[in-house]
Amino acid sequence: MNEEKLYAVRNEDGKYWDFNGNRNFGRVENNHSTAIASKKLATIISNLNGGHVVTFVQEPKKVVLSKEQAKIVEDAHDDKYPANYISGNSDEEKLLMEAFVNGYTVAKEKKYNVKVPHTEGWHFHKYSSASKSGDANGRKPFPANDNDTNLNKSLMLFTKAEIEHYGLQDCEKEEVTDDAD
């Protein structure tokens, strides 16, 4: 991993050396430049003026994981031998170890509007006890007109798992790109 580092000189009062402006210690907001790329120069300044060199390293990017992968990493934190736990529970050891060390985020699951076949402007809507159909639809998705303002539009969003669960795989799907939910 190619790390770019910056260096600053900080004194015992918590003030930083100003490399471009006053060339003395001051508060960060009053300085023109408190960090430089040369560790050698920062060391020379600290030796001549007191203080110590502080290294700034860019935080590594977090790994994007699925929910299942994230569960493995979480469980590894509780295990006596985390690396063994990860390698024993996944074929993606390198990715999960990187997530274990650098942190991770869980990928948002894609969501889709599912079109009702042979209609224009109709999509499937998930059951809701608050919906107009109430219990009459038997807790299954039902056709709904896109222009119906009484419907909760977030209930028209289906994950791939929900599409399979309700048997809607053969219907045309539109991926929803903005986070409406």
Side-chain angles (χ1 to χ4, degrees):
M1 177 166 59
N2 184 13
E3 292 180 348
E4 290 188 31
K5 297 179 183 179
L6 291 175
Y7 303 94
V9 178
R10 183 177 178 192
N11 69 10
E12 60 188 34
D13 297 329
K15 294 181 179 174
Y16 288 86
W17 183 260
D18 186 350
F19 287 96
N20 285 338
N22 301 327
R23 299 199 187 275
N24 61 18
F25 289 100
R27 293 176 25 171
V28 172
E29 58 269 12
N30 296 336
N31 289 351
H32 292 91
S33 177
T34 57
I36 58 170
S38 170
K39 182 176 183 178
K40 185 175 181 179
L41 180 57
T43 303
I44 291 168
I45 296 292
S46 72
N47 289 339
L48 292 174
N49 300 288
H52 61 278
V53 176
V54 179
T55 306
F56 298 103
V57 180
Q58 187 172 355
E59 188 175 317
K61 282 189 175 181
K62 292 184 177 183
V63 178
V64 179
L65 301 178
S66 68
K67 287 180 184 178
E68 295 78 19
Q69 292 169 325
K71 175 84 170 103
I72 292 170
V73 172
E74 281 302 310
D75 291 346
H77 279 282
D78 299 331
D79 198 80
K80 185 174 181 178
Y81 302 105
N84 289 346
Y85 184 87
I86 288 173
S87 63
N89 288 287
S90 174
D91 294 333
E92 298 159 341
E93 182 178 0
K94 185 178 179 192
L95 174 75
L96 298 187
M97 284 304 298
E98 188 177 331
F100 184 88
V101 172
N102 296 334
Y104 64 90
T105 58
V106 178
K108 275 194 145 190
E109 201 167 1
K110 290 182 182 179
K111 301 224 175 167
Y112 303 87
N113 282 327
V114 182
K115 291 184 176 184
V116 176
H118 312 296
T119 64
E120 188 67 37
W122 287 75
H123 286 88
F124 282 101
H125 191 281
K126 288 185 254 183
Y127 165 79
S128 166
S129 58
S131 68
K132 291 191 320 185
S133 299
D135 287 325
N137 70 346
R139 298 183 185 267
K140 293 181 180 153
F142 57 92
N145 190 311
D146 295 349
N147 297 325
D148 191 339
T149 57
N150 295 324
L151 294 174
N152 181 342
K153 298 296 182 189
S154 68
L155 291 174
M156 294 175 115
L157 302 177
F158 291 81
T159 64
K160 283 203 177 227
E162 289 172 326
I163 290 169
E164 288 180 26
H165 173 74
Y166 293 123
L168 302 173
Q169 321 62 314
D170 295 335
C171 299
E172 186 179 344
K173 295 166 268 316
E174 299 171 329
E175 185 176 336
V176 178
T177 53
D178 77 1
D179 291 330
D181 55 334

